[in-house]
Amino acid sequence: MHVILVAADQELQTSITSILETRGHDVIAFADSGEGLDQLERDPAFNAFIAVNRGDPCAGAEVCWEARLLSSFERPIYVCLVSPPLSSADFIEALDCGADDVLQLPISADELYARLRAAERLNQMQHKLLEMATRDGLTGLYNRPAFFHRAAAICGDRRVAAVMTDIDHFKAINDNYGHASGDKAIRAVAGCLASVGEVVGRLGGEEFALLLETEESGEAWRAAENLRRMIALQDIDLEPSSLRLSCSFGVAMGQPGEDIDELLRKADAALYAAKRAGRNMVALYDPETMGVNEQRPNSVIRSAAHASKGSRRAAS
């Protein structure tokens, strides 16, 4: 595990660090609890916090409380208090303040190892539950609730572009090739989208959304256009035949603090403009005109005109 150790006593600090490193744990030690807590807050890689307190039991419980505040469902942190033998009331207070374990001095190396093994099992279980709760089972992308949760946090303080896309004539793919082939198409598109953007999600069916951290609409448009081309060039292996498909894209620029629902509404409007204009293209939301700028560069017109036979079959 990645451990932050807080111990004012230099001898104890050195001893416990050696015990932990002997079993391969990564340790950073501090004499001051405030510095240790700051490091824990700054670096999410740390998943264990061990505080050694030889004095006031209340002070040890307070440190545990502050460490627990930095833990969350998305970031489980094992919190352990090491102290001289405590009274029953102080022991209960430490647990109620957020300690997962309370170990007595002098510390037993074997007991510490066992506690950390148990903590690793719990952390792995929580990460698995987090994955099941936030990831789409078919594609591995964020599911709809998780996408909106993360997108809302990012939109709160950054300027981003929202991109919405879906697979053109997806119903025809399911009808002509079967739902297993439709799943392959969805996974192929998801694989392309996952290579771009900080937050990418499957909103449902064949519909996806992603956020791009950029302040330039042209840059956002180009990113979407590159994705469109990447997807259009893919061969979906259907054994023995193959299929090419296309996607339409809608792009909208946001402002810091803009509501994610409103930003996606604009991107969705642009997506439907792209579909009305012929599909397999990127449309950019323009608030100063009719709402959506549907102008297409020649390169997009050419690539749409030269759609593969597989794509035409799926569209028929």
Side-chain angles (χ1 to χ4, degrees):
M1 299 185 76
H2 299 283
V3 183
I4 289 177
L5 170 66
V6 173
D9 185 299
Q10 186 62 48
E11 184 177 347
L12 269 175
Q13 184 184 116
T14 302
S15 173
I16 296 175
T17 298
S18 177
I19 290 172
L20 293 169
E21 289 180 341
T22 297
R23 291 298 178 91
H25 297 288
D26 179 29
V27 184
I28 294 183
F30 297 90
D32 180 75
S33 62
E35 293 178 0
L37 289 165
D38 287 343
Q39 180 68 31
L40 184 66
E41 183 174 16
R42 285 194 305 269
D43 192 342
F46 286 96
N47 54 7
F49 183 86
I50 299 176
V52 180
N53 178 63
R54 303 190 71 171
D56 181 9
C58 292
E62 183 177 345
V63 173
C64 292
W65 174 260
E66 293 182 26
R68 179 56 57 206
L69 291 177
L70 301 176
S71 178
S72 67
F73 176 66
E74 296 180 355
R75 187 197 176 187
I77 299 173
Y78 169 73
V79 178
C80 178
L81 175 64
V82 179
S83 74
L86 298 175
S87 68
S88 177
D90 289 335
F91 185 90
I92 292 171
E93 178 70 13
L95 294 177
D96 285 343
C97 284
D100 295 298
D101 278 321
V102 179
L103 303 183
Q104 293 185 3
L105 290 170
I107 194 166
S108 163
D110 288 338
E111 183 178 0
L112 180 57
Y113 295 148
R115 299 285 187 175
L116 288 172
R117 288 195 297 271
E120 284 182 307
R121 291 194 296 270
L122 289 173
N123 278 3
Q124 290 169 2
M125 185 181 300
Q126 190 158 339
H127 282 300
K128 183 62 177 178
L129 289 173
L130 176 63
E131 182 179 342
M132 293 171 63
T134 61
R135 295 289 177 175
D136 172 60
L138 179 63
T139 65
L141 301 179
Y142 286 126
N143 59 26
R144 186 183 183 93
F147 173 83
F148 276 92
H149 175 71
R150 284 155 179 76
I154 290 175
C155 290
D157 55 9
R158 290 185 247 173
R159 188 178 187 196
V160 297
V163 180
M164 289 195 67
T165 182
D166 66 16
I167 301 173
D168 294 331
H169 305 294
F170 181 71
K171 185 178 184 300
I173 295 175
N174 276 338
D175 291 345
N176 294 335
Y177 299 97
H179 289 278
S181 297
D183 287 348
K184 281 189 175 182
I186 288 173
R187 284 194 295 267
V189 171
C192 293
L193 298 179
S195 66
V196 178
E198 185 173 349
V199 178
V200 186
R202 181 186 178 202
L203 301 190
E206 75 279 18
E207 186 176 57
F208 304 87
L210 63 148
L211 296 186
L212 301 172
E213 190 171 351
T214 177
E215 296 186 358
E216 298 293 334
S217 60
E219 183 178 348
W221 188 93
R222 286 189 294 273
E225 169 61 8
N226 288 338
L227 284 170
R228 185 198 64 76
R229 292 185 183 186
M230 187 189 308
I231 292 166
L233 291 173
Q234 278 203 109
D235 286 313
I236 312 300
D237 185 11
L238 301 183
E239 299 180 359
S241 63
S242 63
L243 167 71
R244 283 196 174 182
L245 50 81
S246 67
C247 288
S248 301
F249 288 80
V251 180
M253 294 300 302
Q255 299 295 330
E258 183 171 11
D259 181 79
I260 182 60
D261 291 321
E262 176 61 17
L263 180 56
L264 287 182
R265 184 194 66 77
K266 296 175 182 177
D268 193 48
L271 169 61
Y272 276 90
K275 286 185 169 294
R276 288 195 302 271
R279 305 178 191 269
N280 192 24
M281 62 188 67
V282 179
L284 179 66
Y285 183 84
D286 185 355
E288 295 184 359
T289 60
M290 295 296 291
V292 174
N293 179 357
E294 298 178 19
Q295 297 300 314
R296 291 174 286 159
N298 289 335
S299 61
V300 180
I301 296 174
R302 285 199 298 272
S303 61
H306 289 82
S308 68
K309 293 181 180 179
S311 190
R312 287 198 293 271
R313 285 198 305 271
S316 63

